[in-house]
């Protein structure tokens, strides 16, 4: 009789522990989905802003007046006194890294968001009551 009582008590405690772990996992997965969604949006914004700066920088650099000088060693240098040339170079130097960083953040955020959203859908915990029977069900699909 004691063994049966101990087994029933062990099953009751283990069921409640499993239910608590599943709920914590669900909250953890929801937080990760939210975090990676923010990362994806931030990456998209950076990519759009960086792409715009790159295009504007390329237009400014191509429209500037450049002077070609060759020194005594045969090396060619291009100089400009036009402000749009310098501004274009700065826009290119800022826009290209922003674009690359944005694309990387957006793609990683999108991939991880989908991964944790799928895990969130695969963990299901429920409560059932059929007549006199009551219980907790935990299902994890792989």
């Amino acid at each position: 009789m004691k063994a049966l009582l101990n087994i029933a008590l062990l099953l009751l405690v283990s069921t409640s522990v499993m239910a608590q772990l599943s709920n914590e996992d669900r909250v953890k997965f929801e937080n990760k989905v939210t975090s990676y969604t923010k990362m994806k949006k931030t990456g998209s914004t950076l990519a759009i802003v960086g792409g715009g700066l790159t295009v504007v920088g390329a237009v400014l650099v191509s429209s500037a007046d450049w002077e070609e000088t060759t020194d005594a060693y045969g090396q060619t240098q291009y100089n400009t006194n036009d402000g749009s040339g310098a501004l274009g170079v700065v826009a290119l130097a800022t826009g290209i890294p922003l674009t690359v960083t944005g694309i990387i953040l957006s793609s990683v955020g999108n991939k991880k968001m989908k991964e944790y959203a799928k895990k969130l859908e695969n963990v299901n915990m429920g409560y059932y009551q059929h007549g006199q029977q009551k219980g907790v069900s935990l299902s994890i699909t792989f």
Side-chain angles (χ1 to χ4, degrees), residues 7-137:
I7 291 173
L9 184 62
L10 179 65
L11 288 174
L12 179 69
V13 169
S14 65
T15 303
S16 65
V17 168
M18 295 274 287
Q20 290 174 357
L21 287 175
S22 174
N23 193 15
E24 288 177 6
D25 286 344
R26 184 164 187 80
V27 170
K28 180 177 76 171
F29 290 153
E30 287 173 352
N31 288 339
K32 289 206 179 247
V33 167
T34 304
S35 172
Y36 285 119
T37 301
K38 288 179 184 178
M39 179 190 280
K40 179 181 148 184
K41 288 180 181 179
T42 302
S44 298
T45 303
L46 284 175
I48 290 169
V49 169
L53 278 174
T54 303
V55 169
V56 167
V59 168
L60 289 175
V61 166
S62 66
S63 68
D65 293 330
W66 295 93
E67 296 176 8
E68 180 180 344
T69 58
T70 305
D71 62 2
Y73 300 106
Q75 294 184 1
T76 305
Q77 295 180 350
Y78 295 96
N79 298 323
T80 184
N81 290 329
D82 193 4
S84 66
L87 187 61
V89 170
V90 170
L92 280 173
T94 307
I96 292 173
L98 278 178
T99 304
V100 171
T101 304
I103 290 171
I104 291 170
L105 283 177
S106 180
S107 64
V108 168
N110 189 30
K111 180 181 175 188
K112 291 290 189 174
M113 181 192 71
K114 287 181 181 178
E115 176 185 335
Y116 283 107
K118 185 176 178 184
K119 284 184 180 182
L120 186 61
E121 291 173 4
N122 290 341
V123 175
N124 188 11
M125 190 186 116
Y127 173 77
Y128 65 89
Q129 179 177 3
H130 299 290
Q132 296 292 329
Q133 294 179 336
K134 298 177 184 174
V136 177
S137 67

Side-chain angles (χ1 to χ4, degrees), residues 1-9:
M1 184 68 179
K2 281 186 177 183
L4 186 61
L5 185 62
N6 286 338
I7 291 173
L9 184 62

